[in-house]
Amino acid sequence: MKSIDQKILDQLLFDYEKTVARLVLFCLQEMSEPQGVRRTIDILKGTRSSAVVSHELNKLQTFSSLVGFTRDQLSDVLDKLIHQHFIEVEYVKEEDE
């Protein structure tokens, strides 16, 4: 049986993961047109690439909202959301890459 401290920790981690997922989904929602996984990660990390700036994606509310995450961590979050059908993916070649 789990201790009370472990239950609290589990709940905190669950809430944290849910918040991160919501930020990612909000980022996708506020884009005027779909972007690829790499560009979405660039937005969340606050990367001012030429493609991000030219499309004015650096003006999104979620720009740099997850700057403390690695690209791999954000990729894992996106993969989980795709796998759980929260995100629908179209496989197309991205421009400007």
Side-chain angles (χ1 to χ4, degrees):
M1 197 167 208
K2 289 186 178 181
S3 70
I4 293 175
D5 290 341
Q6 185 61 46
K7 288 179 184 179
I8 292 171
L9 181 59
D10 288 348
Q11 186 62 46
L12 285 172
L13 289 173
F14 176 75
D15 291 345
Y16 178 76
E17 290 172 352
K18 198 163 63 170
T19 300
V20 170
R22 284 182 177 167
L23 280 168
V24 171
L25 293 172
F26 181 64
C27 177
L28 295 170
Q29 183 180 16
E30 72 174 336
M31 291 182 207
S32 59
E33 58 188 50
Q35 302 294 323
V37 170
R38 281 182 271 177
R39 193 160 303 147
T40 300
I41 291 171
D42 285 345
I43 294 164
L44 293 165
K45 285 194 61 60
T47 304
R48 293 183 182 274
S49 67
S50 59
V52 168
V53 173
S54 68
H55 289 92
E56 298 187 339
L57 299 170
N58 56 314
K59 295 181 180 179
L60 298 177
Q61 291 180 37
T62 53
F63 184 77
S64 76
S65 62
L66 297 175
V67 69
F69 284 73
T70 66
R71 295 188 77 77
D72 286 342
Q73 289 170 322
L74 290 173
S75 182
D76 288 345
V77 171
L78 284 160
D79 286 345
K80 287 177 185 175
L81 291 170
I82 291 166
H83 181 72
Q84 294 173 356
H85 305 288
F86 285 102
I87 300 172
E88 186 177 321
V89 177
E90 289 183 29
Y91 293 96
V92 295
K93 185 176 184 327
E94 291 188 41
E95 297 179 25
D96 302 320
E97 291 198 67

